[in-house]
Amino acid sequence: MAAPSDKMATIVSLAKRRGFMFQSSEVYGGLNSCYDYGPLGAELKNNVKRLWMDAMIREHENIEPLDSSILMHPRIWEASGHVENFTDPLVDCKICKARFRADQLDNAVCPQKPSKNPKSCGGELTEPRSFNLMFKTFMGPLEDQSAVVYLRPETAQGIYVNFLNVMTTSRQKIPFGIAQIGKAFRNEITPGNFIFRTREFEQMEMQYFVKPGTDAEAFEKWKAIRMQWHLDNGLKKERLRFSEHGPNELAHYAKAAFDIQYEFPFGWQEIEGIHNRSDFDLKQHEKFSGKKLSVFDEESKASYVPWIIETSVGCDRTLLTLLVDAYDEEVTQGDGEDAGPRVVLRFKPRVAPTKVAIFPLMKKDGLPERARKIFKDISCRWRAQLDESGSIGRRYRRADEIGVPVAITVDHEAGSVTVRDRDTMKQERISEAALSDYLAKKLGGI
Ligand code: ATP
């Protein structure tokens, strides 16, 4: 069994080697903590986003999608409390000049070689200073205070300020939700652990608007729904847990908060937050904008400002979790090309970036043409890949390593093919006419 740090290094190396992620601006030496998603990573990310959005808007008739802009009126961030409160305590080491989060010193390592924990290296640390995590820029040609805008640090505020627009145009009534996927930016002091903490990332957030007094029930309901989503994606139950924020950890807006945590090789970490944000956000926007954001209650004939239950999960962090959870090394007894451990990403079919691999046994006798025809027939429904080079054993290994659930081999037997299951490695012969039904069953119709 690999040590935790080795396991992460192995996964990072596989992700780069097979084109899931690349360091951003690699040819220029890279840009710290920014990553580009390669062909498989982009496909995996699309799957994650589609699964999340479908779970929101297809499974709930009272949830509507939204795609709001990244740049918003700067007053929004004053109202939300981000200008004043979205800060981390920063300390500098007076010797090596490295910067650390004062509240995360226990797990920090300094950049000196050999690296040490900043508490034990002997270097004196400065007093903590508040560091605002929002990226600032200017709108228009003037670079003065009146032109300041922020790259949004969360997608939620775009939902709050559109809450009445969405409710009235979609004719929804409380309770209802708004779901949004989009980029967020945080100038993190200590990004790291590959794509776990980056400065540019994507969030998948759903804000559920409820009548005051029904918030606790909605909170419990969404906790359960969100945990089930991660399980449905195949994450192992024993590596997931809830962790409740204590009174001192609660954000300024929150009445209650639970994290869904996953056990990474580097420890238990948050992958999603479920928050009861009370009526804080809408009331703040009422105050700062001067516009009413209340709804009329037919029953009591009175207006009220809805309370909000938020579910907020990082798309990139979900992706990392899926990679870590799916990674497996199987000891094999083979020799030659079968020697060494078999590396398998055990993605559930709905998550897998490539669903089907198609191999002509040989590059002659019309087998490539038959393989290409099968590829054409199925690739409009399932992301498929043709692989013609190398031995069949090697091609199976290549497909296993990127988590392809089904491999089809086209051999000399006319009218039928061999299909091989990634996990059991069992092979069976299927008539070509039955292939589509077989795949629909095996891949769950995705
Ligand atoms: P953390 O404590 O890890 O900094 P947070 O509590 O600030 O996270 P939230 O503001 O609740 O995070 O954001 C919701 C989700 O967005 C997180 O659960 C995580 O999945 C994702 N997320 C937050 N910050 C980052 C980041 N810097 N990089 C990647 N994903 C992030």
Side-chain angles (χ1 to χ4, degrees):
M1 251 307 135
S5 56
D6 291 350
K7 185 168 178 195
M8 268 317 282
T10 311
I11 291 168
V12 172
S13 146
L14 168 68
K16 290 183 177 166
R17 187 161 40 80
R18 295 306 309 270
F20 283 90
M21 290 94 169
F22 309 117
Q23 173 81 62
S24 161
S25 323
E26 206 174 63
V27 290
Y28 284 91
L31 182 65
N32 188 18
S33 100
C34 291
Y35 292 90
D36 298 338
Y37 288 86
L40 290 174
E43 196 77 54
L44 179 56
K45 206 173 189 194
N46 284 340
N47 290 347
V48 167
K49 290 197 264 190
R50 184 181 42 77
L51 286 167
W52 183 87
M53 194 50 103
D54 282 356
M56 289 296 167
I57 63 171
R58 291 202 187 185
E59 290 176 25
H60 304 274
E61 62 192 90
N62 64 345
I63 297 191
E64 302 288 346
L66 178 76
D67 187 349
S68 68
S69 66
I70 289 173
L71 300 176
M72 294 192 280
H73 198 291
R75 290 276 282 163
I76 286 178
W77 304 111
E78 287 173 38
S80 68
H82 282 81
V83 170
E84 199 180 335
N85 296 317
F86 197 54
T87 56
D88 277 339
L90 170 84
V91 287
D92 294 283
C93 172
K94 289 186 181 168
I95 292 184
C96 74
K97 311 289 180 215
R99 301 199 142 155
F100 306 100
R101 261 176 74 164
D103 57 342
Q104 289 183 354
L105 282 179
D106 287 342
N107 298 322
V109 275
C110 84
Q112 305 243 67
K113 298 279 178 253
S115 59
K116 288 190 181 148
N117 179 274
K119 278 178 166 174
S120 58
C121 92
E124 196 189 334
L125 297 173
T126 58
E127 283 300 308
R129 287 177 290 139
S130 280
F131 173 74
N132 196 297
L133 302 184
M134 282 199 293
F135 280 94
K136 238 187 214 177
T137 186
F138 302 96
M139 199 164 214
L142 288 180
E143 295 198 357
D144 63 14
Q145 192 53 34
S146 66
V148 164
V149 285
Y150 300 95
L151 300 189
R152 67 181 177 200
E154 61 176 29
T155 63
Q157 300 301 326
I159 296 183
Y160 304 146
V161 295
N162 275 298
F163 143 73
L164 277 185
N165 284 342
V166 175
M167 186 169 124
T168 46
T169 52
S170 60
R171 305 179 65 236
Q172 289 285 359
K173 288 198 168 59
I174 302 284
F176 84 101
I178 303 178
Q180 166 159 246
I181 299 175
K183 289 267 185 179
F185 304 83
R186 295 181 186 179
N187 202 0
E188 301 275 4
I189 298 169
T190 46
N193 281 322
F194 196 30
I195 54 168
F196 178 81
R197 189 182 301 285
T198 50
R199 294 192 170 113
E200 172 181 342
F201 55 99
E202 260 180 299
Q203 285 188 314
M204 307 187 288
E205 296 197 302
M206 194 282 297
Q207 312 293 326
Y208 198 68
F209 301 87
V210 301
K211 198 170 164 179
T214 63
D215 49 297
E217 193 189 326
F219 187 69
E220 287 310 316
K221 179 181 110 173
W222 280 103
K223 263 174 64 190
I225 292 175
R226 292 306 304 147
M227 179 61 96
Q228 191 57 45
W229 185 77
H230 292 286
L231 292 168
D232 290 345
N233 288 342
L235 294 187
K236 292 178 191 68
K237 200 171 181 182
E238 65 276 14
R239 291 200 195 148
L240 285 166
R241 72 179 186 194
F242 281 114
S243 162
E244 185 173 8
H245 287 209
N248 298 335
E249 294 167 287
L250 282 178
H252 60 277
Y253 52 76
K255 189 188 161 207
F258 274 76
D259 290 340
I260 295 180
Q261 293 186 333
Y262 179 82
E263 190 179 21
F264 288 94
F266 46 91
W268 285 95
Q269 298 287 344
E270 167 182 348
I271 55 171
E272 171 154 3
I274 296 132
H275 311 126
N276 181 340
R277 298 182 69 128
S278 72
D279 54 7
F280 174 84
D281 302 277
L282 293 183
K283 283 217 165 128
Q284 284 292 99
H285 288 306
E286 278 197 329
K287 194 166 129 197
F288 279 70
S289 69
K291 301 266 163 41
K292 281 257 158 277
L293 292 173
S294 55
V295 296
F296 185 72
D297 183 27
E298 290 293 345
E299 229 171 72
S300 61
K301 305 283 178 221
S303 294
Y304 67 88
V305 173
W307 277 44
I308 294 170
I309 306 301
E310 165 184 74
T311 74
S312 174
V313 60
C315 179
D316 316 74
R317 213 174 268 189
T318 301
L319 220 117
L320 179 65
T321 317
L322 288 165
L323 269 176
V324 167
D325 203 73
Y327 185 86
D328 194 14
E329 277 178 23
E330 215 173 56
V331 181
T332 51
Q333 305 300 331
D335 50 18
E337 69 193 21
D338 284 335
R342 183 172 83 105
V343 173
V344 194
L345 287 182
R346 298 195 188 278
F347 287 135
K348 267 209 160 175
R350 71 188 218 157
V351 167
T354 306
K355 316 287 184 202
V356 188
I358 305 162
F359 311 142
L361 186 65
M362 291 176 171
K363 278 193 195 162
K364 56 181 187 182
D365 304 334
L367 301 186
E369 290 73 18
R370 268 179 63 207
R372 195 160 294 276
K373 167 142 191 341
I374 293 175
F375 173 80
K376 270 196 135 178
D377 288 347
I378 64 173
S379 66
C380 56
R381 212 161 150 200
W382 297 286
R383 184 84 165 114
Q385 175 202 73
L386 264 177
D387 188 354
E388 300 185 345
S389 57
S391 69
I392 283 292
R394 197 157 281 158
R395 284 184 260 174
Y396 280 144
R397 286 283 180 106
R398 276 205 290 266
D400 291 342
E401 204 183 38
I402 58 166
V404 184
V406 181
I408 299 171
T409 302
V410 180
D411 56 22
H412 288 92
E413 204 148 325
S416 72
V417 292
T418 312
V419 290
R420 177 223 191 225
D421 178 285
R422 175 197 67 205
D423 295 329
T424 62
M425 293 198 284
K426 283 220 174 82
Q427 303 189 11
E428 54 182 315
R429 190 159 279 282
I430 303 274
S431 86
E432 270 178 53
L435 198 53
S436 185
D437 284 350
Y438 173 88
L439 290 175
K441 223 173 175 182
K442 190 97 186 158
L443 300 171
I446 40 166

